[in-house]
Amino acid sequence: MSTHDRDQPFAENTRLIHAGRAPEKFGGAVNIPPFRASTVLFPTLAELDAYDPALRTVRYGRTGNPSSHAFEAAMTELEEGHAAVSYASGLQAITSSLLAFTRHGDHVLIADTAYAPTRNFANGILSRSGVTVEYFDPGIGAGITSLLRPTTKIVFLESPGSLTFEVQDVPAISAAVTAANADIVVMIDNTWAAGLLFKPLKHGVHVSIQSATKYVGGHSDASLGVAVCARQDHWLRLKKTAVELGACASADELFLGLRGLRSLPVRMRRHHESGLKVAQWLETRPEVTRVRHPALPACPGHDLWKRDFTGACGLFAFEMAPTPRKAMAAMVDGMAHFGMGYSWGGFESLILPSNPTSIRTAVSWTGGELVRLHIGLEDVDDLIADLDAGFARLKAALEA
Ligand SMILES: *Cc1c(COP(=O)(O)O)cnc(C)c1O
């Protein structure tokens, strides 16, 4: 993983140690203590009148406070953007961002790889509000322009898709969309890259969203989201919408997000190394028909990953032949290290059999039986041995 210089003298991992911190304002404490406050008192009417969200003054806990300001500053540094808004979850960051730039009669384009709850919101509340939602082939590239309408307001990407891992040509899509209509807001769900492995705002994207619940929090115990903007006008619109919606993150979760951020680069390097080793081992297995890991040539969009990303996280998937549920259970029920559960980005490994069929509408799913893995920070050989034993149980169940 290389570091990105942002016209600054220090490497990225060094900058992330300092980002958003202010020991001098908090009694010298290394970490900013969680700022637990709803009511904020003003000594004078002049100070009450002077509130300006753009100045990061504090008026009321929900609308911005030292915890949210610190987290937003740090995430802005990570994503190399202009300013950020924090939310109670990644999904809230996504739904608030989609609402912020749309109204009745508008049209929104969403990559077919989008996380299922993003689609549920788009097909539910957003559609019921009179916004037309259309999904597109993640491999579309600059061809996206053929789908633009005069009413198109947002192009929403998720690259790689967090279930099937197709990497999109984000620079080509953003450039083509902006050249066709500079008012369209290009957004991305950047959770897979954790803001570290890919810098969408440097590739023409306007709003980079992530679930900090995943790698930034990193310990499976916080729920937090963020949207980082490249432009002040977009940030003001997002901030105003968040205030209208009552969307905000709690002080404790912001604290955990900031704490996780400090070790993000070192954790991601380990997720990358172990994940790749497991993926390469899976490629040699007779049970596996395909490994969907962006760092492997068999993954759709691998060349784009190589061009645009500086590494991989620990999340990828493999395909097998259609597997009876009982045999799948024999494999996944007895794992020693892989837990079964949704989410990812923590220190622990996870295994999740999935079926993308029902959540693909632009391009139908033609792959095999899909199993998603999150490779955590355990010893990688223990993880491989665990999967090996799982395949032995699968084989026994298939032969029984
Ligand atoms: C988990 C996830 C989200 C939503 O995050 P929450 O913090 O759980 O709301 C959004 N996008 C992707 C790709 C995710 O994996």
Side-chain angles (χ1 to χ4, degrees), residues 88-92 94 115 117-118 158 160-162 189-192 210-214 222-225 315 343-344 372:
S89 68
L91 187 59
Q92 190 177 59
I94 292 165
Y115 172 66
T118 302
E158 181 179 321
S162 55
D189 183 331
N190 198 30
T191 305
W192 190 89
Q210 75 164 294
S211 166
T213 304
K214 308 291 163 57
S223 175
L224 189 61
L315 192 77
S343 199
W344 41 282
R372 189 175 79 173

PDB file of all heavy atoms in Angstrom, residues 88-92 94 115 117-118 158 160-162 189-192 210-214 222-225 315 343-344 372, ligand 1:
ATOM      1  N   ALA A  88     -25.598   8.375  12.140  1.00  0.00           N
ATOM      2  CA  ALA A  88     -25.719   7.270  13.096  1.00  0.00           C
ATOM      3  C   ALA A  88     -25.386   5.919  12.487  1.00  0.00           C
ATOM      4  O   ALA A  88     -25.154   4.953  13.211  1.00  0.00           O
ATOM      5  CB  ALA A  88     -27.130   7.239  13.670  1.00  0.00           C
ATOM      6  N   SER A  89     -25.359   5.834  11.164  1.00  0.00           N
ATOM      7  CA  SER A  89     -25.026   4.567  10.509  1.00  0.00           C
ATOM      8  C   SER A  89     -24.613   4.855   9.074  1.00  0.00           C
ATOM      9  O   SER A  89     -24.864   5.949   8.550  1.00  0.00           O
ATOM     10  CB  SER A  89     -26.237   3.625  10.504  1.00  0.00           C
ATOM     11  OG  SER A  89     -27.242   4.135   9.657  1.00  0.00           O
ATOM     12  N   GLY A  90     -24.015   3.855   8.458  1.00  0.00           N
ATOM     13  CA  GLY A  90     -23.668   4.006   7.049  1.00  0.00           C
ATOM     14  C   GLY A  90     -24.918   4.164   6.204  1.00  0.00           C
ATOM     15  O   GLY A  90     -24.967   4.964   5.270  1.00  0.00           O
ATOM     16  N   LEU A  91     -25.951   3.404   6.558  1.00  0.00           N
ATOM     17  CA  LEU A  91     -27.181   3.481   5.767  1.00  0.00           C
ATOM     18  C   LEU A  91     -27.823   4.863   5.890  1.00  0.00           C
ATOM     19  O   LEU A  91     -28.353   5.399   4.915  1.00  0.00           O
ATOM     20  CB  LEU A  91     -28.157   2.381   6.190  1.00  0.00           C
ATOM     21  CG  LEU A  91     -29.397   2.273   5.297  1.00  0.00           C
ATOM     22  CD1 LEU A  91     -29.010   1.983   3.849  1.00  0.00           C
ATOM     23  CD2 LEU A  91     -30.345   1.207   5.811  1.00  0.00           C
ATOM     24  N   GLN A  92     -27.747   5.446   7.078  1.00  0.00           N
ATOM     25  CA  GLN A  92     -28.294   6.804   7.229  1.00  0.00           C
ATOM     26  C   GLN A  92     -27.504   7.812   6.387  1.00  0.00           C
ATOM     27  O   GLN A  92     -28.078   8.750   5.823  1.00  0.00           O
ATOM     28  CB  GLN A  92     -28.273   7.225   8.702  1.00  0.00           C
ATOM     29  CG  GLN A  92     -29.029   8.511   8.960  1.00  0.00           C
ATOM     30  CD  GLN A  92     -29.051   8.860  10.434  1.00  0.00           C
ATOM     31  OE1 GLN A  92     -28.011   9.035  11.057  1.00  0.00           O
ATOM     32  NE2 GLN A  92     -30.243   8.965  11.000  1.00  0.00           N
ATOM     33  N   ILE A  94     -26.154   7.125   3.544  1.00  0.00           N
ATOM     34  CA  ILE A  94     -26.589   6.883   2.158  1.00  0.00           C
ATOM     35  C   ILE A  94     -27.975   7.478   1.910  1.00  0.00           C
ATOM     36  O   ILE A  94     -28.185   8.224   0.941  1.00  0.00           O
ATOM     37  CB  ILE A  94     -26.597   5.364   1.869  1.00  0.00           C
ATOM     38  CG1 ILE A  94     -25.170   4.818   1.869  1.00  0.00           C
ATOM     39  CG2 ILE A  94     -27.304   5.061   0.545  1.00  0.00           C
ATOM     40  CD1 ILE A  94     -25.074   3.296   1.943  1.00  0.00           C
ATOM     41  N   TYR A 115     -25.359  -2.157  -2.275  1.00  0.00           N
ATOM     42  CA  TYR A 115     -25.716  -2.854  -1.028  1.00  0.00           C
ATOM     43  C   TYR A 115     -27.250  -2.941  -0.930  1.00  0.00           C
ATOM     44  O   TYR A 115     -27.959  -1.959  -1.197  1.00  0.00           O
ATOM     45  CB  TYR A 115     -25.116  -1.977   0.068  1.00  0.00           C
ATOM     46  CG  TYR A 115     -25.413  -2.245   1.502  1.00  0.00           C
ATOM     47  CD1 TYR A 115     -24.977  -3.410   2.127  1.00  0.00           C
ATOM     48  CD2 TYR A 115     -26.065  -1.278   2.275  1.00  0.00           C
ATOM     49  CE1 TYR A 115     -25.194  -3.592   3.479  1.00  0.00           C
ATOM     50  CE2 TYR A 115     -26.287  -1.461   3.626  1.00  0.00           C
ATOM     51  CZ  TYR A 115     -25.860  -2.635   4.219  1.00  0.00           C
ATOM     52  OH  TYR A 115     -26.078  -2.813   5.542  1.00  0.00           O
ATOM     53  N   PRO A 117     -29.657  -2.879   1.360  1.00  0.00           N
ATOM     54  CA  PRO A 117     -30.458  -1.852   2.032  1.00  0.00           C
ATOM     55  C   PRO A 117     -30.482  -0.505   1.281  1.00  0.00           C
ATOM     56  O   PRO A 117     -31.456   0.243   1.400  1.00  0.00           O
ATOM     57  CB  PRO A 117     -29.783  -1.719   3.404  1.00  0.00           C
ATOM     58  CG  PRO A 117     -29.191  -3.081   3.645  1.00  0.00           C
ATOM     59  CD  PRO A 117     -28.678  -3.485   2.296  1.00  0.00           C
ATOM     60  N   THR A 118     -29.433  -0.208   0.499  1.00  0.00           N
ATOM     61  CA  THR A 118     -29.456   0.996  -0.348  1.00  0.00           C
ATOM     62  C   THR A 118     -30.572   0.846  -1.381  1.00  0.00           C
ATOM     63  O   THR A 118     -31.362   1.767  -1.625  1.00  0.00           O
ATOM     64  CB  THR A 118     -28.096   1.181  -1.065  1.00  0.00           C
ATOM     65  OG1 THR A 118     -27.067   1.279  -0.080  1.00  0.00           O
ATOM     66  CG2 THR A 118     -28.096   2.411  -1.954  1.00  0.00           C
ATOM     67  N   GLU A 158     -21.091   1.809  -6.265  1.00  0.00           N
ATOM     68  CA  GLU A 158     -20.520   1.049  -5.158  1.00  0.00           C
ATOM     69  C   GLU A 158     -19.480   0.127  -5.767  1.00  0.00           C
ATOM     70  O   GLU A 158     -19.808  -0.839  -6.453  1.00  0.00           O
ATOM     71  CB  GLU A 158     -21.575   0.236  -4.394  1.00  0.00           C
ATOM     72  CG  GLU A 158     -20.928  -0.528  -3.226  1.00  0.00           C
ATOM     73  CD  GLU A 158     -21.912  -1.343  -2.395  1.00  0.00           C
ATOM     74  OE1 GLU A 158     -23.037  -0.867  -2.152  1.00  0.00           O
ATOM     75  OE2 GLU A 158     -21.534  -2.461  -1.991  1.00  0.00           O
ATOM     76  N   PRO A 160     -15.580  -1.835  -5.144  1.00  0.00           N
ATOM     77  CA  PRO A 160     -16.241  -3.016  -5.685  1.00  0.00           C
ATOM     78  C   PRO A 160     -17.566  -3.237  -4.966  1.00  0.00           C
ATOM     79  O   PRO A 160     -17.728  -2.804  -3.837  1.00  0.00           O
ATOM     80  CB  PRO A 160     -15.272  -4.159  -5.348  1.00  0.00           C
ATOM     81  CG  PRO A 160     -14.103  -3.583  -4.655  1.00  0.00           C
ATOM     82  CD  PRO A 160     -14.397  -2.178  -4.332  1.00  0.00           C
ATOM     83  N   GLY A 161     -18.500  -3.933  -5.620  1.00  0.00           N
ATOM     84  CA  GLY A 161     -19.749  -4.280  -4.951  1.00  0.00           C
ATOM     85  C   GLY A 161     -19.415  -5.144  -3.740  1.00  0.00           C
ATOM     86  O   GLY A 161     -18.519  -5.984  -3.804  1.00  0.00           O
ATOM     87  N   SER A 162     -20.114  -4.935  -2.637  1.00  0.00           N
ATOM     88  CA  SER A 162     -19.714  -5.597  -1.390  1.00  0.00           C
ATOM     89  C   SER A 162     -20.239  -7.025  -1.270  1.00  0.00           C
ATOM     90  O   SER A 162     -20.062  -7.666  -0.248  1.00  0.00           O
ATOM     91  CB  SER A 162     -20.154  -4.763  -0.193  1.00  0.00           C
ATOM     92  OG  SER A 162     -21.539  -4.502  -0.263  1.00  0.00           O
ATOM     93  N   ASP A 189     -20.435   4.576  -2.607  1.00  0.00           N
ATOM     94  CA  ASP A 189     -20.310   3.877  -1.330  1.00  0.00           C
ATOM     95  C   ASP A 189     -18.885   3.321  -1.315  1.00  0.00           C
ATOM     96  O   ASP A 189     -18.566   2.374  -2.034  1.00  0.00           O
ATOM     97  CB  ASP A 189     -21.362   2.761  -1.249  1.00  0.00           C
ATOM     98  CG  ASP A 189     -21.333   2.028   0.088  1.00  0.00           C
ATOM     99  OD1 ASP A 189     -20.254   1.952   0.705  1.00  0.00           O
ATOM    100  OD2 ASP A 189     -22.389   1.514   0.494  1.00  0.00           O
ATOM    101  N   ASN A 190     -18.026   3.937  -0.502  1.00  0.00           N
ATOM    102  CA  ASN A 190     -16.590   3.618  -0.493  1.00  0.00           C
ATOM    103  C   ASN A 190     -16.209   2.751   0.707  1.00  0.00           C
ATOM    104  O   ASN A 190     -15.058   2.765   1.151  1.00  0.00           O
ATOM    105  CB  ASN A 190     -15.794   4.944  -0.467  1.00  0.00           C
ATOM    106  CG  ASN A 190     -14.342   4.796  -0.879  1.00  0.00           C
ATOM    107  OD1 ASN A 190     -13.995   3.923  -1.684  1.00  0.00           O
ATOM    108  ND2 ASN A 190     -13.471   5.641  -0.338  1.00  0.00           N
ATOM    109  N   THR A 191     -17.175   2.002   1.229  1.00  0.00           N
ATOM    110  CA  THR A 191     -16.929   1.238   2.456  1.00  0.00           C
ATOM    111  C   THR A 191     -15.857   0.162   2.277  1.00  0.00           C
ATOM    112  O   THR A 191     -15.031  -0.048   3.163  1.00  0.00           O
ATOM    113  CB  THR A 191     -18.248   0.599   2.948  1.00  0.00           C
ATOM    114  OG1 THR A 191     -19.230   1.638   3.105  1.00  0.00           O
ATOM    115  CG2 THR A 191     -18.066  -0.097   4.278  1.00  0.00           C
ATOM    116  N   TRP A 192     -15.837  -0.506   1.127  1.00  0.00           N
ATOM    117  CA  TRP A 192     -14.861  -1.588   0.911  1.00  0.00           C
ATOM    118  C   TRP A 192     -13.436  -1.043   1.027  1.00  0.00           C
ATOM    119  O   TRP A 192     -12.562  -1.680   1.616  1.00  0.00           O
ATOM    120  CB  TRP A 192     -15.097  -2.231  -0.461  1.00  0.00           C
ATOM    121  CG  TRP A 192     -14.322  -3.492  -0.707  1.00  0.00           C
ATOM    122  CD1 TRP A 192     -14.710  -4.764  -0.402  1.00  0.00           C
ATOM    123  CD2 TRP A 192     -13.028  -3.611  -1.322  1.00  0.00           C
ATOM    124  NE1 TRP A 192     -13.732  -5.659  -0.779  1.00  0.00           N
ATOM    125  CE2 TRP A 192     -12.692  -4.986  -1.347  1.00  0.00           C
ATOM    126  CE3 TRP A 192     -12.111  -2.697  -1.846  1.00  0.00           C
ATOM    127  CZ2 TRP A 192     -11.488  -5.462  -1.880  1.00  0.00           C
ATOM    128  CZ3 TRP A 192     -10.918  -3.174  -2.372  1.00  0.00           C
ATOM    129  CH2 TRP A 192     -10.614  -4.542  -2.388  1.00  0.00           C
ATOM    130  N   GLN A 210     -19.214   6.332   3.507  1.00  0.00           N
ATOM    131  CA  GLN A 210     -18.864   5.004   3.999  1.00  0.00           C
ATOM    132  C   GLN A 210     -19.534   4.673   5.314  1.00  0.00           C
ATOM    133  O   GLN A 210     -19.890   5.554   6.102  1.00  0.00           O
ATOM    134  CB  GLN A 210     -17.361   4.769   4.037  1.00  0.00           C
ATOM    135  CG  GLN A 210     -16.591   5.422   5.129  1.00  0.00           C
ATOM    136  CD  GLN A 210     -15.201   4.773   5.272  1.00  0.00           C
ATOM    137  OE1 GLN A 210     -15.067   3.614   5.644  1.00  0.00           O
ATOM    138  NE2 GLN A 210     -14.171   5.535   4.975  1.00  0.00           N
ATOM    139  N   SER A 211     -19.703   3.370   5.486  1.00  0.00           N
ATOM    140  CA  SER A 211     -20.144   2.853   6.764  1.00  0.00           C
ATOM    141  C   SER A 211     -18.901   2.721   7.627  1.00  0.00           C
ATOM    142  O   SER A 211     -18.107   1.799   7.445  1.00  0.00           O
ATOM    143  CB  SER A 211     -20.817   1.493   6.572  1.00  0.00           C
ATOM    144  OG  SER A 211     -20.941   0.872   7.840  1.00  0.00           O
ATOM    145  N   ALA A 212     -18.717   3.653   8.564  1.00  0.00           N
ATOM    146  CA  ALA A 212     -17.572   3.584   9.480  1.00  0.00           C
ATOM    147  C   ALA A 212     -17.776   2.485  10.522  1.00  0.00           C
ATOM    148  O   ALA A 212     -16.884   2.182  11.305  1.00  0.00           O
ATOM    149  CB  ALA A 212     -17.362   4.940  10.156  1.00  0.00           C
ATOM    150  N   THR A 213     -18.972   1.899  10.498  1.00  0.00           N
ATOM    151  CA  THR A 213     -19.273   0.707  11.287  1.00  0.00           C
ATOM    152  C   THR A 213     -18.289  -0.414  10.942  1.00  0.00           C
ATOM    153  O   THR A 213     -17.980  -1.254  11.777  1.00  0.00           O
ATOM    154  CB  THR A 213     -20.699   0.227  10.926  1.00  0.00           C
ATOM    155  OG1 THR A 213     -21.610   1.304  11.136  1.00  0.00           O
ATOM    156  CG2 THR A 213     -21.127  -0.975  11.725  1.00  0.00           C
ATOM    157  N   LYS A 214     -17.815  -0.414   9.700  1.00  0.00           N
ATOM    158  CA  LYS A 214     -16.981  -1.502   9.208  1.00  0.00           C
ATOM    159  C   LYS A 214     -15.522  -1.287   9.612  1.00  0.00           C
ATOM    160  O   LYS A 214     -15.194  -1.458  10.762  1.00  0.00           O
ATOM    161  CB  LYS A 214     -17.160  -1.629   7.689  1.00  0.00           C
ATOM    162  CG  LYS A 214     -18.634  -1.725   7.264  1.00  0.00           C
ATOM    163  CD  LYS A 214     -19.297  -3.037   7.675  1.00  0.00           C
ATOM    164  CE  LYS A 214     -20.810  -3.016   7.641  1.00  0.00           C
ATOM    165  NZ  LYS A 214     -21.401  -2.666   6.366  1.00  0.00           N
ATOM    166  N   ALA A 222     -19.512  -0.552  16.987  1.00  0.00           N
ATOM    167  CA  ALA A 222     -19.983   0.825  16.810  1.00  0.00           C
ATOM    168  C   ALA A 222     -20.814   0.912  15.538  1.00  0.00           C
ATOM    169  O   ALA A 222     -20.578   0.173  14.575  1.00  0.00           O
ATOM    170  CB  ALA A 222     -18.802   1.790  16.706  1.00  0.00           C
ATOM    171  N   SER A 223     -21.795   1.798  15.526  1.00  0.00           N
ATOM    172  CA  SER A 223     -22.603   2.040  14.341  1.00  0.00           C
ATOM    173  C   SER A 223     -22.422   3.503  13.948  1.00  0.00           C
ATOM    174  O   SER A 223     -22.757   4.401  14.727  1.00  0.00           O
ATOM    175  CB  SER A 223     -24.064   1.761  14.681  1.00  0.00           C
ATOM    176  OG  SER A 223     -24.875   2.098  13.587  1.00  0.00           O
ATOM    177  N   LEU A 224     -21.870   3.735  12.762  1.00  0.00           N
ATOM    178  CA  LEU A 224     -21.440   5.091  12.403  1.00  0.00           C
ATOM    179  C   LEU A 224     -21.312   5.223  10.885  1.00  0.00           C
ATOM    180  O   LEU A 224     -20.870   4.289  10.216  1.00  0.00           O
ATOM    181  CB  LEU A 224     -20.070   5.322  13.061  1.00  0.00           C
ATOM    182  CG  LEU A 224     -19.449   6.717  13.054  1.00  0.00           C
ATOM    183  CD1 LEU A 224     -20.338   7.713  13.794  1.00  0.00           C
ATOM    184  CD2 LEU A 224     -18.073   6.675  13.728  1.00  0.00           C
ATOM    185  N   GLY A 225     -21.715   6.378  10.362  1.00  0.00           N
ATOM    186  CA  GLY A 225     -21.579   6.616   8.930  1.00  0.00           C
ATOM    187  C   GLY A 225     -21.046   8.005   8.663  1.00  0.00           C
ATOM    188  O   GLY A 225     -21.103   8.880   9.535  1.00  0.00           O
ATOM    189  N   LEU A 315     -12.502  -8.441   2.606  1.00  0.00           N
ATOM    190  CA  LEU A 315     -13.824  -8.914   2.189  1.00  0.00           C
ATOM    191  C   LEU A 315     -13.824  -9.357   0.729  1.00  0.00           C
ATOM    192  O   LEU A 315     -13.503  -8.568  -0.161  1.00  0.00           O
ATOM    193  CB  LEU A 315     -14.859  -7.802   2.376  1.00  0.00           C
ATOM    194  CG  LEU A 315     -16.315  -8.262   2.252  1.00  0.00           C
ATOM    195  CD1 LEU A 315     -16.753  -8.973   3.528  1.00  0.00           C
ATOM    196  CD2 LEU A 315     -17.241  -7.087   1.955  1.00  0.00           C
ATOM    197  N   SER A 343     -22.490  -7.817   8.307  1.00  0.00           N
ATOM    198  CA  SER A 343     -21.450  -6.840   8.595  1.00  0.00           C
ATOM    199  C   SER A 343     -20.067  -7.441   8.364  1.00  0.00           C
ATOM    200  O   SER A 343     -19.932  -8.606   7.954  1.00  0.00           O
ATOM    201  CB  SER A 343     -21.570  -6.265  10.001  1.00  0.00           C
ATOM    202  OG  SER A 343     -20.842  -5.054  10.066  1.00  0.00           O
ATOM    203  N   TRP A 344     -19.062  -6.611   8.555  1.00  0.00           N
ATOM    204  CA  TRP A 344     -17.666  -6.984   8.299  1.00  0.00           C
ATOM    205  C   TRP A 344     -16.793  -5.808   8.719  1.00  0.00           C
ATOM    206  O   TRP A 344     -17.319  -4.790   9.179  1.00  0.00           O
ATOM    207  CB  TRP A 344     -17.441  -7.338   6.819  1.00  0.00           C
ATOM    208  CG  TRP A 344     -18.135  -6.461   5.808  1.00  0.00           C
ATOM    209  CD1 TRP A 344     -19.451  -6.515   5.467  1.00  0.00           C
ATOM    210  CD2 TRP A 344     -17.571  -5.395   5.013  1.00  0.00           C
ATOM    211  NE1 TRP A 344     -19.743  -5.568   4.510  1.00  0.00           N
ATOM    212  CE2 TRP A 344     -18.610  -4.878   4.212  1.00  0.00           C
ATOM    213  CE3 TRP A 344     -16.293  -4.856   4.888  1.00  0.00           C
ATOM    214  CZ2 TRP A 344     -18.414  -3.829   3.310  1.00  0.00           C
ATOM    215  CZ3 TRP A 344     -16.099  -3.815   3.980  1.00  0.00           C
ATOM    216  CH2 TRP A 344     -17.163  -3.308   3.204  1.00  0.00           C
ATOM    217  N   ARG A 372     -19.544 -15.482   1.012  1.00  0.00           N
ATOM    218  CA  ARG A 372     -18.730 -14.294   1.270  1.00  0.00           C
ATOM    219  C   ARG A 372     -17.889 -14.519   2.523  1.00  0.00           C
ATOM    220  O   ARG A 372     -18.392 -15.051   3.514  1.00  0.00           O
ATOM    221  CB  ARG A 372     -19.620 -13.066   1.442  1.00  0.00           C
ATOM    222  CG  ARG A 372     -18.794 -11.774   1.481  1.00  0.00           C
ATOM    223  CD  ARG A 372     -19.685 -10.561   1.534  1.00  0.00           C
ATOM    224  NE  ARG A 372     -20.203 -10.335   2.878  1.00  0.00           N
ATOM    225  CZ  ARG A 372     -20.899  -9.262   3.236  1.00  0.00           C
ATOM    226  NH1 ARG A 372     -21.164  -8.324   2.334  1.00  0.00           N
ATOM    227  NH2 ARG A 372     -21.342  -9.114   4.459  1.00  0.00           N
TER     228      ARG A 372
HETATM  229  C1  LIG B   1     -22.729  -2.233   6.106  1.00  0.00           C
HETATM  230  C2  LIG B   1     -22.775  -1.446   4.866  1.00  0.00           C
HETATM  231  C3  LIG B   1     -23.488  -0.264   4.789  1.00  0.00           C
HETATM  232  C4  LIG B   1     -24.370   0.236   5.904  1.00  0.00           C
HETATM  233  O1  LIG B   1     -23.675   0.484   7.042  1.00  0.00           O
HETATM  234  P1  LIG B   1     -24.357   0.547   8.486  1.00  0.00           P
HETATM  235  O2  LIG B   1     -23.361   1.322   9.253  1.00  0.00           O
HETATM  236  O3  LIG B   1     -24.519  -0.868   8.932  1.00  0.00           O
HETATM  237  O4  LIG B   1     -25.671   1.233   8.323  1.00  0.00           O
HETATM  238  C5  LIG B   1     -23.436   0.446   3.621  1.00  0.00           C
HETATM  239  N1  LIG B   1     -22.728   0.016   2.578  1.00  0.00           N
HETATM  240  C6  LIG B   1     -22.036  -1.123   2.606  1.00  0.00           C
HETATM  241  C7  LIG B   1     -21.271  -1.530   1.402  1.00  0.00           C
HETATM  242  C8  LIG B   1     -22.040  -1.898   3.749  1.00  0.00           C
HETATM  243  O5  LIG B   1     -21.386  -3.059   3.769  1.00  0.00           O
END
